[in-house]
Amino acid sequence: MRPPPAPLMSSGVLTDVGRQRVGGVNQDAAVALDLPQGGLYAVADGMGGHAAGELAANLALDTLTQHFLDSRGPAPERLAGAVQAANLAVVRHAVGESVGMGTTLLAALVDRGAVLIAHVGDSRAYLLRGGELQRLTDDHSWVAEQVRLGFLTEEEARHHQWKSVVSNALGGEERVRLELFGLPLRSGDRLLLCSDGLSGVVDGPALESLLSRSDDPEQLARVLINAANDAGGPDNITAVVVDIARDAGLPRYALPERSGNGPEYVDVLLNSRRGSSMLTYLLLTLGYFTLLGVILIPEHRTVSALLGLGLLVAVLAGQRWLQARSRPAPRQPGRVAGRLSGARASRAAGPDERPRDLG
């Protein structure tokens, strides 16, 4: 009788109010959901005032997990759809005293030997592999964009007066903008999802050193929280640590690639994935019939090959043209930031709120 296989992964989740929040309000939330061949992990950092921020974060995670469990289809589409459902839940509850509320959302779906990352806002995902720490996400914030454009240094960004303004969050508009990408996992990998209450006060080298410890995920989550509190604990702190214990096969679907263009509207992203799947089938069909023509009509093999190649090029060119037309027009600078900055300002105005640092 064979012994049961070792668990694919183990995880630890912890959230803490920090040391500078009078009244003990925690607007962070986290979830860890075990699945048959992996797990769904997420961090949300709410904004919009005491009760509103806490409501937004918890509402987003409740909706995310329930929608993902209730939906069917390929995992990337299910995850993106769950993020959109979470966004709509926040938008529809942002009435009355909760007007202007929102939340970041960072989700990691471990599916066999891969992880899918869905990212909205400035919470962060890291991967420790072979003793080296890789940051997987870029912040969706005004100062982060200035750093990417070369107008600010990392050090200037950490102390900028607008460091608390995110440029993208759930609750900003009815269509969420997100980044969705995947990567293969290996035995020994360690994932960290965290709110900026951790990444804003514990820098990269210190995180790498802490994550390289041999502690199990639950112990390590506590170590990370303590490190942020020892650095002043100016914000709520959340850490989700996931250890990959063994190798597993990749899922059957194609892992979504990172576009490099930042967050995209969810419908554009999903249409692009559907179009990519249809394109793959079409290209395979054209290739099959081209090869068939070369074999069955040898006297016209050159014509068959050139005709097939021409059709392949035409299909690819058409696909690029359709993708270019489907992209939304460039957003006006500050459009979302302006709306969400009101929520951030309401956070800072409360007696137990402090401006958010950017790591």
Side-chain angles (χ1 to χ4, degrees):
M1 183 175 179
R2 291 184 177 181
L8 176 62
M9 70 196 73
S10 57
S11 64
V13 182
L14 191 62
T15 184
D16 188 83
V17 70
R19 290 189 173 172
Q20 297 185 28
R21 293 299 181 93
V22 177
V25 176
N26 190 347
Q27 297 185 81
D28 281 6
V31 67
L33 177 66
D34 291 332
L35 298 172
Q37 299 186 74
L40 177 62
Y41 308 91
V43 168
D45 182 357
M47 62 194 82
H50 304 167
E54 184 179 10
L55 171 63
N58 285 282
L59 179 62
L61 294 188
D62 288 346
T63 306
L64 175 86
T65 53
Q66 193 59 53
H67 190 279
F68 183 84
L69 290 173
D70 291 344
S71 60
R72 296 294 179 267
E77 284 80 352
R78 290 174 66 192
L79 184 58
V83 174
Q84 171 62 9
N87 177 65
L88 285 176
V90 175
V91 169
R92 291 167 182 170
H93 281 78
V95 295
E97 294 182 353
S98 298
V99 167
M101 78 176 185
T103 182
T104 70
L105 180 61
L106 174 63
L109 174 66
V110 177
D111 187 6
R112 286 162 281 191
V115 62
L116 299 173
I117 301 290
H119 172 47
V120 182
D122 63 354
S123 296
R124 291 184 180 178
Y126 295 88
L127 170 66
L128 184 75
R129 173 175 288 173
E132 294 185 3
L133 187 65
Q134 307 171 40
R135 182 169 146 191
L136 300 179
T137 56
D138 293 323
D139 297 339
H140 301 164
S141 67
W142 185 87
V143 295
E145 182 64 22
Q146 301 310 299
V147 171
R148 286 192 284 273
L149 294 174
F151 298 138
L152 289 176
T153 65
E154 290 282 357
E155 186 60 25
E156 289 171 337
R158 293 178 71 89
H159 303 287
H160 199 280
Q161 60 178 340
W162 290 351
K163 62 188 176 183
S164 62
V165 178
V166 296
S167 58
N168 187 32
L170 268 62
E173 52 187 312
E174 290 199 352
R175 286 192 307 161
V176 70
R177 293 186 303 130
L178 74 153
E179 290 187 88
L180 177 69
F181 58 94
L183 64 152
L185 292 172
R186 303 175 187 169
S187 175
D189 283 350
R190 172 169 275 177
L191 292 165
L192 168 67
L193 311 183
C194 66
S195 65
D196 67 341
L198 175 61
S199 61
V201 295
V202 181
D203 61 19
L207 274 179
E208 181 175 281
S209 176
L210 293 172
L211 289 168
S212 297
R213 294 168 55 130
S214 60
D215 299 325
D216 65 43
E218 289 188 1
Q219 293 172 326
L220 185 57
R222 169 52 65 188
V223 168
L224 293 168
I225 298 295
N226 289 342
N229 276 323
D230 289 344
D235 201 351
N236 302 144
I237 314 157
T238 300
V240 178
V241 181
V242 182
D243 281 356
I244 306 302
R246 58 181 174 84
D247 292 322
L250 291 175
R252 295 180 181 178
Y253 53 81
L255 295 178
E257 296 182 2
R258 197 166 186 178
S259 69
N261 298 321
E264 295 184 281
Y265 282 111
V266 64
D267 52 338
V268 175
L269 189 151
L270 290 176
N271 287 337
S272 175
R273 280 194 58 81
R274 294 187 188 109
S276 296
S277 298
M278 294 178 62
L279 178 65
T280 300
Y281 288 123
L282 182 56
L283 292 177
L284 288 173
T285 301
L286 285 174
Y288 171 78
F289 281 107
T290 299
L291 181 60
L292 196 63
V294 170
I295 294 173
L296 296 180
I297 317 175
E299 63 272 20
H300 298 297
R301 66 179 60 181
T302 301
V303 175
S304 298
L306 290 175
L307 180 61
L309 181 61
L311 288 172
L312 290 172
V313 171
V315 169
L316 288 171
Q319 175 71 7
R320 287 183 177 274
W321 180 77
L322 289 173
Q323 285 180 343
R325 284 180 60 89
S326 69
R327 288 190 182 278
R331 300 172 60 83
Q332 293 297 319
R335 179 181 170 194
V336 173
R339 177 170 182 178
L340 295 178
S341 63
R344 290 299 192 190
S346 69
R347 291 191 66 182
D352 64 342
E353 300 294 332
R354 295 293 184 271
R356 303 180 67 188
D357 291 330
L358 176 74

